[in-house]
Each structure stands twice: as structure tokens, then as C-alpha cells.
Amino acid sequence: MNTRVLTCTCNGTVDLDPAGLKRALAGAGVKADVVMSGQQLCRRQLVEATRFLEGVDDIVLTCTQERPLFNQAGHKAVAPIKFVNIREQAGWGSDGKQAQPKIAALVAMAVRDVREPVAAVSYRSKGRLLLIGHAAALQWAERLSGLSTSSLAVSVLLPSGAGAENRPALGAVREFPVFSGEVASLSGWLGSFDVRWQQVNPIDLEACVRCGACVSVCPEQAIDQSLQVDMSRCTGHRRCVAACGEVAAIDFSRQAPARQEQFDLVIDFREQPAFDRHQLPQGYWHPGADPARQIDAALAAAELVGEFEKPKFFDYRQSLCAHKRNAIVGCTLCIDVCSASAIQPKGDGVQVEPHLCVGCGACATACPSGAMTYAYPDAASVGQRVRAALSAYRSAGGKRPVLLLHGDEEAGRILQALGRGAGASVARAPAIRGLPARVIPMGLHHVASAGMDLALAFLAYGAAQVVWWFTGKEAPAYRELLEREIAWAGALVDGIGLPGRRLLTLDAATSAELETGLQGLVTAAEIASPATFAVSEDKRRTIEFAVDHLLAVTRGPGGALPIGGEAAGNAIAETVAIPLPAGAPFGRLLIDRDACTLCLACVGACPEKALLDMGEEPGLRLIERNCVQCGLCEKTCPESAITLEPRYLPGKLREQGVVLNKAKPLACIQCGKLFGTHQMIDAMKKKLAGHRMFGDAQMKALEMCADCRVTDMFSAVGEVSVLDIKRDDS
């Protein structure tokens, strides 16, 4: 069924050609019917628009401001309405009259936004909320526990060590549990936080009846209304213990074990957060002393009682993982980049805690082998959306499109502000120009989810430029990751011969900075013949598709590279390969043949089957297409004979096995059976030379096969056997 598209010019402030939009979508192969185009769909045309919303399983509506209204009006729709913002992102601004191609692109992108269902990650919260801190914690505990509509069960943990001026007075009514102690550990996520703390103050607030007898008898005033002892003032007279009497809440010799409790939610008012990471776990907030952030945390906590789900954003295949082999660590890119500390080593691979994963996709972007992939949305669906958008843009007559990749939250607010500022300037001098007509914003769950595979595919689809936009809220590791990806992809683009700067980053924390950055873009022309391949779930295959297409377009059929012949050595490959920066996930291996003994330890260490033996003949082959440059072979080699060389080998040569080293097999000096190599035996002799346990006979045995070596051991003349040794009972 075709998608129904309803468009609105927002009271005539957006230049929109419905007929042209329909032609552009049809020209791009996007099945969609523009069934209605109005000026006030949210007001006087609402009844008419509502008729088109009922009983349809795919609807696109070009308004985001009135999303709640249209959702309510379209409650009989089979599926949720897809909303696309053509007003702030295209129609409003100095380029509004030239934005028809971009409007077509945005609508096409929304039509093709189809996401396959994925597994869900579940959370269950009963509302057990722990507040950690002093005065602010107690104040918020009183407010939250006093709400008649609240489902929160509030507890407070008062850390020790605060000065007297920061120690709050406890309430006259015990409305909620109050603990004291130092946090020993805090781990977990929404609905499953494990908190351990150590009681360090002599007064146990759970046992204390808050009578104040200890306060009145303390001569040093070491105890105040917080009912905690300031040990820097206390001289040890212990009158407070006597005053406490049978309540027995005060014990200066207490050696209490650490207490452990489970909570669903945690608000931490301390100066330093409990988690040393950029992305805090869901259900944990660290507002510190900021009143606005404290309010946000309290409101958010009040909403998180019940059962919740989120998509499982990733897929992981350990068989492709290059993390570790034989206790030797190779690739750690996904572990290093994860801002939520959701990925940890496990055996030869890694383990991802889905409850901590926030769906940034950086792990999939960083993974060189494709063992880690982004599942929601998957790369194929993102590629489908962009291909449709660029095709519709061209069909509507657009030139030199710039794809602006950005995250959803902070970037969305900045885009909105820029668009509305441009809209306010329509009737006056264009103080704010808004988004340029050729800049197509592409919203992602997180900007880090798009790496070099998607960027190269976007160029092959006809984007003249791909820009990653950073708002400053992203983790530093994400920026470093994407800078590397851009450097590697940029080297490929330069090697292909595409002119101009095609891939770049943009820093903009405000709408003014965004406008300045976008207006200053210098963009070369897009390629003449856009690609039609589909983005693969195998990121390396996508890169191959894109590079081969860009080479064919830039240099002609075959990419003007030598074809035919056999890559029996490294000489042919050297004439066609594109050099890449250090760390790039493509390349070959250089072998020091004099040092290599063909022990083939590297073959056993290679997780990608890039290194292979040669069957009966001693030798080592490399299939360059499979090599991810993880370095496991280099670290495993006992002779340090392997060196990595990052590069990209286009065409069929990368699929052909290249012989890195080979040797004639060594024949057993006893039976003549072939085993081992001369290099291996010579290396062993060299290492064992001079060892007291290896004389001439033992050195000679090294030139025998395993069977003959055993036979020789039991038939050697003049050697004492353990069977000949008699026990001396004397």
C-alpha cells in the first residue's frame, strides 16, 4: 500500500508545490500519494485531514508542532503517524523558495523510515528511591514522600565528613528511613541498583529515637541536630552513651559490617558522582547542588515507577570478534569507546550489558570486523532512508546535497531554534538565514552510530558532502572515534580521486554557531551516477560496494586499475593499493621471511580467517579482504616477524590469497617422512645451543619426526632408563 502524505504550508509561510513533491517522490521510486495539501490542517482543515488518517497503516504528516493534536485526531489509524518537520528545516529561512528538493528529500526519508522489530530490554521499578547527600537530600525526601500522588518509597543516606554548617537537622517526624555512612560501592541500573555503605559514625540513625539527650549532655558540642558526632571535637568522655541509655543507639566501638540494600532509583547530591563515566546509568541522577537539575531529577524519578522497555540496540557475534586469542589481547575498540561502561571483556570476546547500553552505536562504528552491529535502526534501514532522500532531492532538481548527521535530543532543539529564528526574520531583513536549501538534516539516535561505512555509502548515493555535527554534549571518546573514521574514509576518498573535502565535522552548541558553520560550507559537485546497491549489515561489504562504485564513476570501468593476472606476490598489490592512516581496519601483513619459521601460530590466532596455511606444503597465505589489522598475529608471533601495513586494496585482488612465506618441508633423517621446515628446526637449534640438557644426540633428535623421536628415545644406547633405577631401601 502506498503511504499517504498530508502536507501543510503553515498558514502560507512555507513555499510548497504539492504536484512537484508528488513527481519527485515518484521519480525517486518512493511509493507515496500526496492526498492533501493545506494551509491550516491543525485548525479549519482538521476535520477534512482527519478523514485521511483513519484506517491507514502508513501516514506521513509534514508538521511536528501539532503532533499531540494529530495523534489524538488519528487515534483510529492502524499505525502511528510519522511526522516530518519541513517548516523549520526547509520552508523557513532565506532559502525557503529554493527548498523544494529538500522538502522532497525529508518526506522521502520519512516514508522509508521502516524499522524492523528487535528484542526488548525490560526494567521494573517499584519506586524505591535512595537520596544520597545532606541538606538537599533531606529536603527533597520531605517533598517527595509528602506527595499524596507519589508512588516513591524514599530513603536517605547521609554521608559523614560534612562540616557542622552542612549537617542538616533531622525532622521531628520519622517519615522515611535515614541512614548514615560512607558509600562503599554503587552499581546497577533502573530497578536494580545495589548500594553498599559502611556505618562510620557512632550514632546509628535507625536505632536513634531523636530525643536529643546526647546533644544536651555533650560538653564539646560535638553533636548537633543532625544527631551525628563530629569526631574532631569529641574528647571521649562518653556522656552521650550514658544519656542514650537503653536505646543503645550510640556505640563508639562499633565494628558493623557494610550494609547492602537494593534500590530502584538513586539521586546523588554529592559533589562527585558515584560513576566515573560520561553516560550515567538510567535511573541514576547526579544533580549536585544545582537547583534546576535537582528539580529535573525529582520529576524524572517520580515518573519511573512501573515496567519499562527499550530496544536492544546491538547485535554481537563472538565468532567475528578480534578482542583476544590465547590470552593475548588484540582489539579493544568497543570497550574503549563505550561511554556507559556497558562492555567488558569475557573470554576471547566481550560481553555487553543491555541494561546499561544507551544505544549510541559507537561500539558498532568502532568494531573493525562487524562482530558488533547496530540493530535499531540497523544500517540497512538507515541506508534505505538516505538513498530515497537523495534520489528524491535529485528528482526535484536539487544539486550538491549536504547530508548533516546529528543526534536527536540536543541537536533537535538547536535545529528548532535556528528554524524558528529564521521564520521570525521572514517579514524583516533576514538576520537569521536558517538552514541552507542544500543541507539535508539526518536525525540519528546518536551521531556516533554513523561511521565510515555509511559515510562512503552516502557519497556513493549522491551526497556531495557528509557532515557530522557535534553539539558539545557528546562524550570525548565519540569525537575521537569519528575523527579516526573520517581520517580513514577521507584517505579512501582522496585515493579514489574525488575532489574537495567530502567528509568533515562541525562544532555548534548554539543555533548561531550552526548557521555560521553551515553557511560557510564549501562543497564540490556530487558524483554523476549515484549507486543503487543496498547497505549491507556487513560493514566491510558496504565499504567495498561504495569504494568500487566511486572508483568506477571517477576512473571509469574497473576503476582504471589493472585487472586480470594473479596476485602471487606483493608486487602487484603495491601498484594499486590506497595507503591508509595508522589503525585503519584494512591492510596487509609484511613478513620477515628470514625470521619466520612457519610455526603458523599466527594462523591459529587470526579470528577473521585472513591468515591460512597451505595444506601439505609449509606456507602462509593472506586473504587481505579479511584482515582487520587487529594485531593479534603480530603480538602472537614468537619471532616478531609480522608487521601491519594499513591500506585498501580495491578490486578482485583483495579476495585472492597472497603467499606471504613458504618453504620446502624437512624430511625426517630416520624414516624420510616430511615434517616441519628447515627454518623451524634451525631456529630451535639456535635457541637451544649451549643448553646443558641438549647435547649432540638431542640436537639430532630435533631432525626426526615425532614417531621416530619416540623410538629413538627408548632405543638410545648408553642412556639410563628410569626402569633401570632400583629403590635403595638402605
Side-chain angles (χ1 to χ4, degrees), residues 557-730:
L561 299 174
I563 56 176
E566 294 182 0
N570 291 331
I572 295 178
E574 288 174 349
T575 64
V576 297
I578 299 173
L580 295 177
F586 295 92
R588 66 171 176 173
L589 307 176
L590 301 178
I591 299 293
D592 182 346
R593 297 186 177 183
D594 293 333
C596 175
T597 63
L598 288 174
C599 67
L600 302 184
C602 54
V603 175
C606 181
E608 312 302 332
K609 296 182 172 56
L611 284 170
L612 304 171
D613 60 26
M614 295 181 64
E616 296 297 327
E617 182 181 6
L620 180 64
R621 294 184 299 138
L622 171 70
I623 299 178
E624 191 163 330
R625 179 189 188 190
N626 296 345
C627 181
V628 300
Q629 298 280 288
C630 65
L632 278 169
C633 58
E634 183 181 40
K635 295 177 182 178
T636 299
C637 180
E639 314 300 340
S640 300
I642 299 177
T643 304
L644 306 180
E645 182 183 305
R647 67 176 196 172
Y648 186 85
L649 185 62
K652 296 296 182 182
L653 291 177
R654 65 174 173 264
E655 301 177 12
Q656 301 177 19
V658 176
V659 176
L660 299 179
N661 195 11
K662 63 180 180 179
K664 292 182 178 180
L666 178 69
C668 174
I669 59 174
Q670 289 286 83
C671 67
K673 183 172 70 175
L674 300 178
F675 82 102
T677 65
H678 285 281
Q679 294 100 315
M680 183 184 299
I681 301 304
D682 290 344
M684 292 174 67
K685 286 183 175 181
K686 184 177 180 181
K687 289 183 178 181
L688 297 173
H691 195 287
R692 63 184 182 85
M693 296 292 293
F694 284 84
D696 292 341
Q698 287 75 21
M699 288 294 187
K700 183 178 179 182
L702 292 176
E703 300 181 33
M704 302 178 188
C705 68
D707 294 336
C708 292
R709 196 175 303 129
V710 172
T711 301
D712 180 72
M713 181 176 64
F714 283 99
S715 61
V717 178
E719 290 191 1
V720 179
S721 169
V722 293
L723 300 177
D724 298 328
I725 301 176
K726 296 181 179 179
R727 181 178 178 182
D728 186 358
D729 294 328
S730 61

Side-chain angles (χ1 to χ4, degrees), residues 91-397:
W92 282 1
S94 59
D95 286 3
K97 294 184 182 299
Q98 292 80 43
Q100 296 301 314
K102 179 161 66 169
I103 291 174
L106 292 173
V107 172
M109 199 182 301
V111 172
R112 289 290 176 84
D113 188 5
V114 179
R115 304 189 183 189
E116 296 297 325
V118 297
V121 179
S122 299
Y123 298 87
R124 185 177 182 182
S125 168
K126 297 179 181 178
R128 298 170 299 176
L129 170 63
L130 177 66
L131 306 178
I132 306 175
H134 295 101
L138 282 174
Q139 290 166 7
W140 277 107
E142 292 172 358
R143 294 170 185 169
L144 293 172
S145 62
L147 294 175
S148 59
T149 57
S150 175
S151 301
L152 297 173
V154 181
S155 299
V156 174
L157 176 59
L158 300 176
S160 60
E165 68 281 2
N166 294 322
R167 294 199 301 268
L170 300 183
V173 179
R174 194 188 297 271
E175 298 178 290
F176 43 82
V178 180
F179 314 112
S180 68
E182 288 301 316
V183 177
S185 65
L186 199 166
S187 60
W189 48 80
L190 171 64
S192 184
F193 283 105
D194 184 81
V195 186
R196 296 177 67 250
W197 69 89
Q198 184 71 50
Q199 171 91 27
V200 295
N201 206 280
I203 302 180
D204 184 348
L205 293 180
E206 295 173 81
C208 175
V209 297
R210 304 183 188 179
C211 64
C214 58
V215 178
S216 60
V217 302
C218 180
E220 294 91 2
Q221 296 183 340
I223 307 176
D224 57 20
Q225 293 302 314
S226 70
L227 301 180
Q228 294 287 275
V229 180
D230 184 347
M231 297 303 295
S232 65
R233 293 185 178 184
C234 179
T235 59
H237 54 77
R238 303 298 185 260
R239 293 180 187 174
C240 55
V241 177
C244 190
E246 294 182 358
V247 174
I250 307 177
D251 183 355
F252 284 85
S253 62
R254 180 186 293 112
Q255 298 292 327
R259 179 161 180 175
Q260 183 170 345
E261 295 283 348
Q262 293 285 330
F263 295 92
D264 301 307
L265 309 157
V266 178
I267 302 179
D268 193 344
F269 298 94
R270 295 176 299 171
E271 183 177 352
Q272 295 297 325
F275 298 93
D276 184 19
R277 64 185 72 158
H278 181 85
Q279 184 63 53
L280 301 176
Q282 290 175 286
Y284 173 89
W285 298 269
H286 180 252
D290 187 333
R293 293 175 59 195
Q294 291 177 5
I295 294 173
D296 290 342
L299 291 173
E303 293 293 324
L304 288 178
V305 180
E307 296 187 11
F308 308 92
E309 286 187 348
K310 71 177 181 182
K312 181 174 174 286
F313 289 102
F314 64 92
D315 282 327
Y316 173 64
R317 292 175 291 174
Q318 183 174 336
S319 60
L320 296 178
C321 184
H323 171 60
K324 183 191 290 185
R325 289 294 184 276
N326 304 320
I328 297 176
V329 176
C331 175
T332 61
L333 291 174
C334 65
I335 298 173
D336 297 338
V337 80
C338 182
S339 67
S341 297
I343 309 177
Q344 301 296 330
K346 183 180 180 181
D348 282 348
V350 300
Q351 178 176 325
V352 186
E353 175 48 68
H355 293 91
L356 291 176
C357 172
V358 295
C360 67
C363 56
T365 298
C367 181
S369 66
M372 195 77 72
T373 56
Y374 198 45
Y376 191 82
D378 60 15
S381 63
V382 173
Q384 184 183 43
R385 291 173 62 198
V386 171
R387 186 173 58 172
L390 294 174
S391 181
Y393 182 88
R394 288 190 305 273
S395 181

Side-chain angles (χ1 to χ4, degrees), residues 523-560:
T523 308
E526 67 273 24
I527 62 173
S529 302
T532 59
F533 65 82
V535 167
S536 171
E537 290 306 312
D538 181 348
K539 63 187 295 183
R540 297 176 69 84
R541 180 63 61 90
T542 296
I543 293 171
E544 291 174 0
F545 287 160
V547 171
D548 288 350
H549 180 81
L550 293 173
L551 276 170
V553 171
T554 304
R555 301 186 180 183

